[in-house]
PDB file of all heavy atoms in Angstrom:
ATOM      1  N   SER X   1     193.308 191.675 186.758  1.00  0.00           N
ATOM      2  CA  SER X   1     194.130 192.341 187.766  1.00  0.00           C
ATOM      3  C   SER X   1     194.292 193.836 187.542  1.00  0.00           C
ATOM      4  O   SER X   1     194.703 194.548 188.465  1.00  0.00           O
ATOM      5  CB  SER X   1     195.506 191.683 187.852  1.00  0.00           C
ATOM      6  OG  SER X   1     196.205 191.809 186.627  1.00  0.00           O
ATOM      7  N   THR X   2     194.001 194.332 186.356  1.00  0.00           N
ATOM      8  CA  THR X   2     194.107 195.758 186.062  1.00  0.00           C
ATOM      9  C   THR X   2     192.756 196.459 186.031  1.00  0.00           C
ATOM     10  O   THR X   2     192.691 197.663 185.791  1.00  0.00           O
ATOM     11  CB  THR X   2     194.817 195.999 184.723  1.00  0.00           C
ATOM     12  OG1 THR X   2     194.057 195.421 183.658  1.00  0.00           O
ATOM     13  CG2 THR X   2     196.209 195.378 184.741  1.00  0.00           C
ATOM     14  N   ALA X   3     191.694 195.727 186.269  1.00  0.00           N
ATOM     15  CA  ALA X   3     190.352 196.254 186.119  1.00  0.00           C
ATOM     16  C   ALA X   3     189.733 196.629 187.462  1.00  0.00           C
ATOM     17  O   ALA X   3     189.773 195.845 188.412  1.00  0.00           O
ATOM     18  CB  ALA X   3     189.459 195.235 185.420  1.00  0.00           C
ATOM     19  N   TYR X   4     189.154 197.833 187.509  1.00  0.00           N
ATOM     20  CA  TYR X   4     188.255 198.131 188.614  1.00  0.00           C
ATOM     21  C   TYR X   4     187.087 197.156 188.553  1.00  0.00           C
ATOM     22  O   TYR X   4     186.593 196.837 187.472  1.00  0.00           O
ATOM     23  CB  TYR X   4     187.727 199.560 188.516  1.00  0.00           C
ATOM     24  CG  TYR X   4     188.580 200.597 189.188  1.00  0.00           C
ATOM     25  CD1 TYR X   4     189.716 201.102 188.559  1.00  0.00           C
ATOM     26  CD2 TYR X   4     188.245 201.090 190.440  1.00  0.00           C
ATOM     27  CE1 TYR X   4     190.497 202.058 189.176  1.00  0.00           C
ATOM     28  CE2 TYR X   4     189.024 202.061 191.058  1.00  0.00           C
ATOM     29  CZ  TYR X   4     190.151 202.535 190.425  1.00  0.00           C
ATOM     30  OH  TYR X   4     190.914 203.493 191.043  1.00  0.00           O
ATOM     31  N   MET X   5     186.650 196.717 189.708  1.00  0.00           N
ATOM     32  CA  MET X   5     185.493 195.847 189.793  1.00  0.00           C
ATOM     33  C   MET X   5     184.470 196.463 190.736  1.00  0.00           C
ATOM     34  O   MET X   5     184.822 197.114 191.727  1.00  0.00           O
ATOM     35  CB  MET X   5     185.872 194.448 190.274  1.00  0.00           C
ATOM     36  CG  MET X   5     186.749 193.671 189.297  1.00  0.00           C
ATOM     37  SD  MET X   5     185.916 193.322 187.715  1.00  0.00           S
ATOM     38  CE  MET X   5     184.576 192.258 188.257  1.00  0.00           C
ATOM     39  N   MET X   6     183.214 196.244 190.412  1.00  0.00           N
ATOM     40  CA  MET X   6     182.124 196.827 191.166  1.00  0.00           C
ATOM     41  C   MET X   6     181.107 195.764 191.552  1.00  0.00           C
ATOM     42  O   MET X   6     180.942 194.762 190.856  1.00  0.00           O
ATOM     43  CB  MET X   6     181.402 197.906 190.335  1.00  0.00           C
ATOM     44  CG  MET X   6     182.186 199.182 190.110  1.00  0.00           C
ATOM     45  SD  MET X   6     183.461 199.046 188.809  1.00  0.00           S
ATOM     46  CE  MET X   6     182.427 199.034 187.354  1.00  0.00           C
ATOM     47  N   TRP X   7     180.436 195.999 192.655  1.00  0.00           N
ATOM     48  CA  TRP X   7     179.231 195.269 193.013  1.00  0.00           C
ATOM     49  C   TRP X   7     178.046 196.219 192.893  1.00  0.00           C
ATOM     50  O   TRP X   7     178.082 197.340 193.411  1.00  0.00           O
ATOM     51  CB  TRP X   7     179.296 194.711 194.432  1.00  0.00           C
ATOM     52  CG  TRP X   7     180.098 193.454 194.555  1.00  0.00           C
ATOM     53  CD1 TRP X   7     181.384 193.335 194.969  1.00  0.00           C
ATOM     54  CD2 TRP X   7     179.642 192.127 194.266  1.00  0.00           C
ATOM     55  NE1 TRP X   7     181.783 192.019 194.956  1.00  0.00           N
ATOM     56  CE2 TRP X   7     180.730 191.252 194.527  1.00  0.00           C
ATOM     57  CE3 TRP X   7     178.440 191.589 193.809  1.00  0.00           C
ATOM     58  CZ2 TRP X   7     180.634 189.867 194.350  1.00  0.00           C
ATOM     59  CZ3 TRP X   7     178.352 190.215 193.630  1.00  0.00           C
ATOM     60  CH2 TRP X   7     179.439 189.378 193.905  1.00  0.00           C
ATOM     61  N   TYR X   8     177.019 195.764 192.203  1.00  0.00           N
ATOM     62  CA  TYR X   8     175.747 196.456 192.078  1.00  0.00           C
ATOM     63  C   TYR X   8     174.653 195.611 192.710  1.00  0.00           C
ATOM     64  O   TYR X   8     174.815 194.409 192.928  1.00  0.00           O
ATOM     65  CB  TYR X   8     175.386 196.682 190.608  1.00  0.00           C
ATOM     66  CG  TYR X   8     176.286 197.616 189.839  1.00  0.00           C
ATOM     67  CD1 TYR X   8     177.488 197.171 189.306  1.00  0.00           C
ATOM     68  CD2 TYR X   8     175.911 198.937 189.614  1.00  0.00           C
ATOM     69  CE1 TYR X   8     178.304 198.019 188.577  1.00  0.00           C
ATOM     70  CE2 TYR X   8     176.715 199.785 188.887  1.00  0.00           C
ATOM     71  CZ  TYR X   8     177.912 199.323 188.373  1.00  0.00           C
ATOM     72  OH  TYR X   8     178.712 200.173 187.642  1.00  0.00           O
ATOM     73  N   ARG X   9     173.534 196.238 192.958  1.00  0.00           N
ATOM     74  CA  ARG X   9     172.365 195.481 193.382  1.00  0.00           C
ATOM     75  C   ARG X   9     171.106 196.122 192.823  1.00  0.00           C
ATOM     76  O   ARG X   9     171.067 197.323 192.548  1.00  0.00           O
ATOM     77  CB  ARG X   9     172.266 195.379 194.907  1.00  0.00           C
ATOM     78  CG  ARG X   9     171.991 196.693 195.623  1.00  0.00           C
ATOM     79  CD  ARG X   9     172.077 196.497 197.130  1.00  0.00           C
ATOM     80  NE  ARG X   9     171.793 197.724 197.859  1.00  0.00           N
ATOM     81  CZ  ARG X   9     171.941 197.869 199.165  1.00  0.00           C
ATOM     82  NH1 ARG X   9     172.368 196.845 199.907  1.00  0.00           N
ATOM     83  NH2 ARG X   9     171.655 199.023 199.752  1.00  0.00           N
ATOM     84  N   LYS X  10     170.086 195.304 192.638  1.00  0.00           N
ATOM     85  CA  LYS X  10     168.791 195.767 192.192  1.00  0.00           C
ATOM     86  C   LYS X  10     167.735 195.263 193.169  1.00  0.00           C
ATOM     87  O   LYS X  10     167.327 194.096 193.098  1.00  0.00           O
ATOM     88  CB  LYS X  10     168.480 195.292 190.777  1.00  0.00           C
ATOM     89  CG  LYS X  10     167.212 195.914 190.216  1.00  0.00           C
ATOM     90  CD  LYS X  10     166.912 195.435 188.815  1.00  0.00           C
ATOM     91  CE  LYS X  10     165.719 196.178 188.233  1.00  0.00           C
ATOM     92  NZ  LYS X  10     164.502 196.047 189.067  1.00  0.00           N
ATOM     93  N   PRO X  11     167.275 196.131 194.079  1.00  0.00           N
ATOM     94  CA  PRO X  11     166.189 195.734 194.977  1.00  0.00           C
ATOM     95  C   PRO X  11     164.893 195.547 194.206  1.00  0.00           C
ATOM     96  O   PRO X  11     164.725 196.122 193.117  1.00  0.00           O
ATOM     97  CB  PRO X  11     166.089 196.913 195.950  1.00  0.00           C
ATOM     98  CG  PRO X  11     167.372 197.666 195.800  1.00  0.00           C
ATOM     99  CD  PRO X  11     167.774 197.471 194.368  1.00  0.00           C
ATOM    100  N   PRO X  12     163.962 194.791 194.747  1.00  0.00           N
ATOM    101  CA  PRO X  12     162.680 194.612 194.047  1.00  0.00           C
ATOM    102  C   PRO X  12     161.968 195.946 193.875  1.00  0.00           C
ATOM    103  O   PRO X  12     161.834 196.722 194.825  1.00  0.00           O
ATOM    104  CB  PRO X  12     161.902 193.669 194.961  1.00  0.00           C
ATOM    105  CG  PRO X  12     162.573 193.764 196.291  1.00  0.00           C
ATOM    106  CD  PRO X  12     164.012 194.041 196.007  1.00  0.00           C
ATOM    107  N   GLY X  13     161.544 196.228 192.654  1.00  0.00           N
ATOM    108  CA  GLY X  13     160.818 197.447 192.364  1.00  0.00           C
ATOM    109  C   GLY X  13     161.660 198.698 192.276  1.00  0.00           C
ATOM    110  O   GLY X  13     161.102 199.791 192.122  1.00  0.00           O
ATOM    111  N   LYS X  14     162.972 198.584 192.365  1.00  0.00           N
ATOM    112  CA  LYS X  14     163.858 199.733 192.310  1.00  0.00           C
ATOM    113  C   LYS X  14     164.908 199.549 191.225  1.00  0.00           C
ATOM    114  O   LYS X  14     165.113 198.447 190.719  1.00  0.00           O
ATOM    115  CB  LYS X  14     164.530 199.963 193.660  1.00  0.00           C
ATOM    116  CG  LYS X  14     163.567 200.240 194.803  1.00  0.00           C
ATOM    117  CD  LYS X  14     164.305 200.466 196.110  1.00  0.00           C
ATOM    118  CE  LYS X  14     163.341 200.750 197.248  1.00  0.00           C
ATOM    119  NZ  LYS X  14     164.058 200.967 198.534  1.00  0.00           N
ATOM    120  N   GLU X  15     165.580 200.629 190.899  1.00  0.00           N
ATOM    121  CA  GLU X  15     166.605 200.567 189.865  1.00  0.00           C
ATOM    122  C   GLU X  15     167.907 200.017 190.425  1.00  0.00           C
ATOM    123  O   GLU X  15     168.161 200.041 191.629  1.00  0.00           O
ATOM    124  CB  GLU X  15     166.823 201.955 189.254  1.00  0.00           C
ATOM    125  CG  GLU X  15     167.372 202.977 190.226  1.00  0.00           C
ATOM    126  CD  GLU X  15     167.474 204.363 189.620  1.00  0.00           C
ATOM    127  OE1 GLU X  15     166.944 204.570 188.515  1.00  0.00           O
ATOM    128  OE2 GLU X  15     168.089 205.246 190.248  1.00  0.00           O
ATOM    129  N   ARG X  16     168.741 199.524 189.523  1.00  0.00           N
ATOM    130  CA  ARG X  16     170.046 199.021 189.917  1.00  0.00           C
ATOM    131  C   ARG X  16     170.901 200.154 190.476  1.00  0.00           C
ATOM    132  O   ARG X  16     170.882 201.276 189.974  1.00  0.00           O
ATOM    133  CB  ARG X  16     170.729 198.378 188.705  1.00  0.00           C
ATOM    134  CG  ARG X  16     172.077 197.751 189.007  1.00  0.00           C
ATOM    135  CD  ARG X  16     172.725 197.204 187.732  1.00  0.00           C
ATOM    136  NE  ARG X  16     172.091 195.971 187.280  1.00  0.00           N
ATOM    137  CZ  ARG X  16     171.392 195.864 186.152  1.00  0.00           C
ATOM    138  NH1 ARG X  16     171.228 196.898 185.352  1.00  0.00           N
ATOM    139  NH2 ARG X  16     170.867 194.690 185.826  1.00  0.00           N
ATOM    140  N   GLU X  17     171.666 199.850 191.523  1.00  0.00           N
ATOM    141  CA  GLU X  17     172.502 200.848 192.154  1.00  0.00           C
ATOM    142  C   GLU X  17     173.889 200.281 192.431  1.00  0.00           C
ATOM    143  O   GLU X  17     174.058 199.081 192.667  1.00  0.00           O
ATOM    144  CB  GLU X  17     171.875 201.340 193.461  1.00  0.00           C
ATOM    145  CG  GLU X  17     171.724 200.251 194.513  1.00  0.00           C
ATOM    146  CD  GLU X  17     170.994 200.716 195.761  1.00  0.00           C
ATOM    147  OE1 GLU X  17     170.495 201.866 195.772  1.00  0.00           O
ATOM    148  OE2 GLU X  17     170.922 199.935 196.730  1.00  0.00           O
ATOM    149  N   LEU X  18     174.871 201.162 192.410  1.00  0.00           N
ATOM    150  CA  LEU X  18     176.237 200.775 192.736  1.00  0.00           C
ATOM    151  C   LEU X  18     176.382 200.638 194.243  1.00  0.00           C
ATOM    152  O   LEU X  18     176.001 201.537 194.996  1.00  0.00           O
ATOM    153  CB  LEU X  18     177.214 201.816 192.203  1.00  0.00           C
ATOM    154  CG  LEU X  18     178.699 201.575 192.473  1.00  0.00           C
ATOM    155  CD1 LEU X  18     179.182 200.329 191.740  1.00  0.00           C
ATOM    156  CD2 LEU X  18     179.520 202.791 192.053  1.00  0.00           C
ATOM    157  N   VAL X  19     176.950 199.530 194.677  1.00  0.00           N
ATOM    158  CA  VAL X  19     177.143 199.257 196.091  1.00  0.00           C
ATOM    159  C   VAL X  19     178.577 199.533 196.523  1.00  0.00           C
ATOM    160  O   VAL X  19     178.819 200.169 197.555  1.00  0.00           O
ATOM    161  CB  VAL X  19     176.768 197.802 196.424  1.00  0.00           C
ATOM    162  CG1 VAL X  19     177.052 197.484 197.890  1.00  0.00           C
ATOM    163  CG2 VAL X  19     175.302 197.551 196.094  1.00  0.00           C
ATOM    164  N   ALA X  20     179.541 199.046 195.762  1.00  0.00           N
ATOM    165  CA  ALA X  20     180.943 199.174 196.132  1.00  0.00           C
ATOM    166  C   ALA X  20     181.809 198.993 194.903  1.00  0.00           C
ATOM    167  O   ALA X  20     181.404 198.364 193.932  1.00  0.00           O
ATOM    168  CB  ALA X  20     181.325 198.140 197.198  1.00  0.00           C
ATOM    169  N   ARG X  21     183.034 199.536 194.970  1.00  0.00           N
ATOM    170  CA  ARG X  21     183.986 199.339 193.896  1.00  0.00           C
ATOM    171  C   ARG X  21     185.378 199.212 194.478  1.00  0.00           C
ATOM    172  O   ARG X  21     185.648 199.675 195.592  1.00  0.00           O
ATOM    173  CB  ARG X  21     183.921 200.473 192.865  1.00  0.00           C
ATOM    174  CG  ARG X  21     184.364 201.819 193.379  1.00  0.00           C
ATOM    175  CD  ARG X  21     183.982 202.943 192.403  1.00  0.00           C
ATOM    176  NE  ARG X  21     184.649 202.839 191.115  1.00  0.00           N
ATOM    177  CZ  ARG X  21     185.765 203.490 190.789  1.00  0.00           C
ATOM    178  NH1 ARG X  21     186.360 204.306 191.655  1.00  0.00           N
ATOM    179  NH2 ARG X  21     186.275 203.333 189.571  1.00  0.00           N
ATOM    180  N   ILE X  22     186.261 198.597 193.696  1.00  0.00           N
ATOM    181  CA  ILE X  22     187.620 198.343 194.153  1.00  0.00           C
ATOM    182  C   ILE X  22     188.570 198.454 192.975  1.00  0.00           C
ATOM    183  O   ILE X  22     188.273 198.011 191.864  1.00  0.00           O
ATOM    184  CB  ILE X  22     187.713 196.958 194.837  1.00  0.00           C
ATOM    185  CG1 ILE X  22     189.098 196.722 195.438  1.00  0.00           C
ATOM    186  CG2 ILE X  22     187.331 195.834 193.869  1.00  0.00           C
ATOM    187  CD1 ILE X  22     189.139 195.505 196.361  1.00  0.00           C
ATOM    188  N   SER X  23     189.728 199.059 193.201  1.00  0.00           N
ATOM    189  CA  SER X  23     190.728 199.216 192.161  1.00  0.00           C
ATOM    190  C   SER X  23     191.382 197.882 191.840  1.00  0.00           C
ATOM    191  O   SER X  23     191.250 196.893 192.566  1.00  0.00           O
ATOM    192  CB  SER X  23     191.779 200.236 192.581  1.00  0.00           C
ATOM    193  OG  SER X  23     192.457 199.815 193.744  1.00  0.00           O
ATOM    194  N   GLY X  24     192.125 197.859 190.731  1.00  0.00           N
ATOM    195  CA  GLY X  24     192.721 196.617 190.257  1.00  0.00           C
ATOM    196  C   GLY X  24     193.617 195.940 191.272  1.00  0.00           C
ATOM    197  O   GLY X  24     193.587 194.709 191.408  1.00  0.00           O
ATOM    198  N   ASP X  25     194.409 196.724 191.991  1.00  0.00           N
ATOM    199  CA  ASP X  25     195.324 196.158 192.973  1.00  0.00           C
ATOM    200  C   ASP X  25     194.712 196.063 194.366  1.00  0.00           C
ATOM    201  O   ASP X  25     195.396 195.659 195.310  1.00  0.00           O
ATOM    202  CB  ASP X  25     196.631 196.948 193.023  1.00  0.00           C
ATOM    203  CG  ASP X  25     196.464 198.361 193.538  1.00  0.00           C
ATOM    204  OD1 ASP X  25     195.323 198.781 193.805  1.00  0.00           O
ATOM    205  OD2 ASP X  25     197.481 199.062 193.672  1.00  0.00           O
ATOM    206  N   GLY X  26     193.463 196.454 194.493  1.00  0.00           N
ATOM    207  CA  GLY X  26     192.783 196.399 195.777  1.00  0.00           C
ATOM    208  C   GLY X  26     193.076 197.555 196.708  1.00  0.00           C
ATOM    209  O   GLY X  26     192.550 197.583 197.828  1.00  0.00           O
ATOM    210  N   GLY X  27     193.877 198.520 196.262  1.00  0.00           N
ATOM    211  CA  GLY X  27     194.304 199.587 197.138  1.00  0.00           C
ATOM    212  C   GLY X  27     193.276 200.669 197.402  1.00  0.00           C
ATOM    213  O   GLY X  27     193.390 201.398 198.387  1.00  0.00           O
ATOM    214  N   LEU X  28     192.296 200.793 196.532  1.00  0.00           N
ATOM    215  CA  LEU X  28     191.264 201.812 196.672  1.00  0.00           C
ATOM    216  C   LEU X  28     189.910 201.141 196.687  1.00  0.00           C
ATOM    217  O   LEU X  28     189.614 200.300 195.837  1.00  0.00           O
ATOM    218  CB  LEU X  28     191.330 202.822 195.528  1.00  0.00           C
ATOM    219  CG  LEU X  28     192.599 203.660 195.419  1.00  0.00           C
ATOM    220  CD1 LEU X  28     192.553 204.493 194.134  1.00  0.00           C
ATOM    221  CD2 LEU X  28     192.742 204.562 196.631  1.00  0.00           C
ATOM    222  N   THR X  29     189.100 201.519 197.645  1.00  0.00           N
ATOM    223  CA  THR X  29     187.730 201.031 197.732  1.00  0.00           C
ATOM    224  C   THR X  29     186.803 202.181 198.064  1.00  0.00           C
ATOM    225  O   THR X  29     187.207 203.160 198.698  1.00  0.00           O
ATOM    226  CB  THR X  29     187.568 199.937 198.801  1.00  0.00           C
ATOM    227  OG1 THR X  29     187.933 200.463 200.082  1.00  0.00           O
ATOM    228  CG2 THR X  29     188.444 198.732 198.485  1.00  0.00           C
ATOM    229  N   ASP X  30     185.565 202.077 197.637  1.00  0.00           N
ATOM    230  CA  ASP X  30     184.554 203.007 198.083  1.00  0.00           C
ATOM    231  C   ASP X  30     183.203 202.318 198.093  1.00  0.00           C
ATOM    232  O   ASP X  30     183.002 201.289 197.444  1.00  0.00           O
ATOM    233  CB  ASP X  30     184.535 204.307 197.267  1.00  0.00           C
ATOM    234  CG  ASP X  30     184.427 204.082 195.777  1.00  0.00           C
ATOM    235  OD1 ASP X  30     183.341 203.680 195.307  1.00  0.00           O
ATOM    236  OD2 ASP X  30     185.429 204.321 195.067  1.00  0.00           O
ATOM    237  N   TYR X  31     182.272 202.904 198.858  1.00  0.00           N
ATOM    238  CA  TYR X  31     181.012 202.256 199.162  1.00  0.00           C
ATOM    239  C   TYR X  31     179.863 203.244 199.109  1.00  0.00           C
ATOM    240  O   TYR X  31     180.028 204.432 199.395  1.00  0.00           O
ATOM    241  CB  TYR X  31     181.046 201.647 200.569  1.00  0.00           C
ATOM    242  CG  TYR X  31     182.131 200.633 200.783  1.00  0.00           C
ATOM    243  CD1 TYR X  31     183.392 201.019 201.216  1.00  0.00           C
ATOM    244  CD2 TYR X  31     181.895 199.288 200.553  1.00  0.00           C
ATOM    245  CE1 TYR X  31     184.397 200.089 201.410  1.00  0.00           C
ATOM    246  CE2 TYR X  31     182.892 198.352 200.744  1.00  0.00           C
ATOM    247  CZ  TYR X  31     184.140 198.753 201.172  1.00  0.00           C
ATOM    248  OH  TYR X  31     185.125 197.821 201.360  1.00  0.00           O
ATOM    249  N   GLN X  32     178.704 202.734 198.771  1.00  0.00           N
ATOM    250  CA  GLN X  32     177.491 203.494 198.939  1.00  0.00           C
ATOM    251  C   GLN X  32     177.303 203.788 200.427  1.00  0.00           C
ATOM    252  O   GLN X  32     177.609 202.948 201.283  1.00  0.00           O
ATOM    253  CB  GLN X  32     176.303 202.695 198.399  1.00  0.00           C
ATOM    254  CG  GLN X  32     174.983 203.430 198.433  1.00  0.00           C
ATOM    255  CD  GLN X  32     173.822 202.517 198.114  1.00  0.00           C
ATOM    256  OE1 GLN X  32     173.666 201.464 198.733  1.00  0.00           O
ATOM    257  NE2 GLN X  32     173.003 202.921 197.165  1.00  0.00           N
ATOM    258  N   ASP X  33     176.782 204.978 200.738  1.00  0.00           N
ATOM    259  CA  ASP X  33     176.651 205.384 202.130  1.00  0.00           C
ATOM    260  C   ASP X  33     175.866 204.384 202.972  1.00  0.00           C
ATOM    261  O   ASP X  33     176.187 204.155 204.143  1.00  0.00           O
ATOM    262  CB  ASP X  33     175.977 206.756 202.222  1.00  0.00           C
ATOM    263  CG  ASP X  33     176.890 207.885 201.808  1.00  0.00           C
ATOM    264  OD1 ASP X  33     178.110 207.681 201.727  1.00  0.00           O
ATOM    265  OD2 ASP X  33     176.371 208.990 201.566  1.00  0.00           O
ATOM    266  N   SER X  34     174.855 203.782 202.406  1.00  0.00           N
ATOM    267  CA  SER X  34     173.979 202.910 203.171  1.00  0.00           C
ATOM    268  C   SER X  34     174.648 201.620 203.627  1.00  0.00           C
ATOM    269  O   SER X  34     174.128 200.942 204.515  1.00  0.00           O
ATOM    270  CB  SER X  34     172.716 202.576 202.369  1.00  0.00           C
ATOM    271  OG  SER X  34     173.025 201.804 201.227  1.00  0.00           O
ATOM    272  N   VAL X  35     175.784 201.262 203.038  1.00  0.00           N
ATOM    273  CA  VAL X  35     176.457 200.022 203.410  1.00  0.00           C
ATOM    274  C   VAL X  35     177.790 200.258 204.107  1.00  0.00           C
ATOM    275  O   VAL X  35     178.429 199.285 204.541  1.00  0.00           O
ATOM    276  CB  VAL X  35     176.659 199.092 202.198  1.00  0.00           C
ATOM    277  CG1 VAL X  35     175.346 198.890 201.452  1.00  0.00           C
ATOM    278  CG2 VAL X  35     177.735 199.624 201.259  1.00  0.00           C
ATOM    279  N   LYS X  36     178.209 201.492 204.235  1.00  0.00           N
ATOM    280  CA  LYS X  36     179.479 201.784 204.889  1.00  0.00           C
ATOM    281  C   LYS X  36     179.487 201.268 206.321  1.00  0.00           C
ATOM    282  O   LYS X  36     178.528 201.456 207.061  1.00  0.00           O
ATOM    283  CB  LYS X  36     179.756 203.288 204.875  1.00  0.00           C
ATOM    284  CG  LYS X  36     180.131 203.832 203.514  1.00  0.00           C
ATOM    285  CD  LYS X  36     180.389 205.334 203.559  1.00  0.00           C
ATOM    286  CE  LYS X  36     180.782 205.867 202.199  1.00  0.00           C
ATOM    287  NZ  LYS X  36     180.974 207.327 202.211  1.00  0.00           N
ATOM    288  N   GLY X  37     180.570 200.616 206.683  1.00  0.00           N
ATOM    289  CA  GLY X  37     180.686 200.038 208.005  1.00  0.00           C
ATOM    290  C   GLY X  37     180.105 198.659 208.135  1.00  0.00           C
ATOM    291  O   GLY X  37     180.314 197.996 209.161  1.00  0.00           O
ATOM    292  N   ARG X  38     179.379 198.210 207.133  1.00  0.00           N
ATOM    293  CA  ARG X  38     178.766 196.888 207.154  1.00  0.00           C
ATOM    294  C   ARG X  38     179.305 195.968 206.072  1.00  0.00           C
ATOM    295  O   ARG X  38     179.427 194.764 206.291  1.00  0.00           O
ATOM    296  CB  ARG X  38     177.247 196.995 207.006  1.00  0.00           C
ATOM    297  CG  ARG X  38     176.576 197.803 208.106  1.00  0.00           C
ATOM    298  CD  ARG X  38     175.058 197.711 208.019  1.00  0.00           C
ATOM    299  NE  ARG X  38     174.545 198.249 206.766  1.00  0.00           N
ATOM    300  CZ  ARG X  38     173.852 197.544 205.872  1.00  0.00           C
ATOM    301  NH1 ARG X  38     173.583 196.260 206.097  1.00  0.00           N
ATOM    302  NH2 ARG X  38     173.408 198.125 204.762  1.00  0.00           N
ATOM    303  N   PHE X  39     179.604 196.517 204.893  1.00  0.00           N
ATOM    304  CA  PHE X  39     180.069 195.727 203.757  1.00  0.00           C
ATOM    305  C   PHE X  39     181.546 195.989 203.506  1.00  0.00           C
ATOM    306  O   PHE X  39     182.043 197.109 203.713  1.00  0.00           O
ATOM    307  CB  PHE X  39     179.297 196.092 202.487  1.00  0.00           C
ATOM    308  CG  PHE X  39     177.858 195.663 202.453  1.00  0.00           C
ATOM    309  CD1 PHE X  39     177.204 195.196 203.580  1.00  0.00           C
ATOM    310  CD2 PHE X  39     177.149 195.741 201.265  1.00  0.00           C
ATOM    311  CE1 PHE X  39     175.868 194.812 203.540  1.00  0.00           C
ATOM    312  CE2 PHE X  39     175.815 195.364 201.206  1.00  0.00           C
ATOM    313  CZ  PHE X  39     175.180 194.898 202.338  1.00  0.00           C
ATOM    314  N   THR X  40     182.237 194.974 203.013  1.00  0.00           N
ATOM    315  CA  THR X  40     183.629 195.095 202.623  1.00  0.00           C
ATOM    316  C   THR X  40     183.836 194.426 201.270  1.00  0.00           C
ATOM    317  O   THR X  40     183.453 193.264 201.087  1.00  0.00           O
ATOM    318  CB  THR X  40     184.568 194.443 203.649  1.00  0.00           C
ATOM    319  OG1 THR X  40     184.364 195.033 204.935  1.00  0.00           O
ATOM    320  CG2 THR X  40     186.024 194.635 203.240  1.00  0.00           C
ATOM    321  N   ILE X  41     184.416 195.153 200.332  1.00  0.00           N
ATOM    322  CA  ILE X  41     184.766 194.587 199.038  1.00  0.00           C
ATOM    323  C   ILE X  41     186.253 194.255 199.038  1.00  0.00           C
ATOM    324  O   ILE X  41     187.072 195.035 199.521  1.00  0.00           O
ATOM    325  CB  ILE X  41     184.396 195.548 197.889  1.00  0.00           C
ATOM    326  CG1 ILE X  41     184.618 194.885 196.524  1.00  0.00           C
ATOM    327  CG2 ILE X  41     185.130 196.871 197.992  1.00  0.00           C
ATOM    328  CD1 ILE X  41     184.048 195.690 195.355  1.00  0.00           C
ATOM    329  N   PHE X  42     186.595 193.085 198.535  1.00  0.00           N
ATOM    330  CA  PHE X  42     187.989 192.710 198.392  1.00  0.00           C
ATOM    331  C   PHE X  42     188.125 191.749 197.229  1.00  0.00           C
ATOM    332  O   PHE X  42     187.128 191.272 196.689  1.00  0.00           O
ATOM    333  CB  PHE X  42     188.566 192.130 199.694  1.00  0.00           C
ATOM    334  CG  PHE X  42     187.893 190.878 200.197  1.00  0.00           C
ATOM    335  CD1 PHE X  42     188.473 189.630 199.998  1.00  0.00           C
ATOM    336  CD2 PHE X  42     186.706 190.938 200.900  1.00  0.00           C
ATOM    337  CE1 PHE X  42     187.876 188.478 200.481  1.00  0.00           C
ATOM    338  CE2 PHE X  42     186.095 189.791 201.381  1.00  0.00           C
ATOM    339  CZ  PHE X  42     186.679 188.557 201.170  1.00  0.00           C
TER     340      PHE X  42
END
């Protein structure tokens, strides 16, 4: 509950990249530009 959590992804043939992150209480979120408006982290 106190830890920021992140989602990463590794496409085939590419390096791992950060997709989204969320603060411990869920109050702050941010996203990679390519997924904004499409993905939601909670």
Side-chain angles (χ1 to χ4, degrees):
S1 63
T2 62
Y4 271 80
M5 294 296 296
M6 289 78 74
W7 281 99
Y8 294 82
R9 67 187 181 188
K10 188 180 186 303
K14 299 180 180 180
E15 65 184 10
R16 183 183 286 113
E17 63 185 6
L18 179 65
V19 176
R21 67 193 296 264
I22 185 168
S23 61
D25 66 357
L28 297 174
T29 60
D30 53 72
Y31 301 89
Q32 184 190 53
D33 286 344
S34 66
V35 309
K36 288 180 179 177
R38 300 188 298 119
F39 290 12
T40 303
I41 186 170
F42 61 101

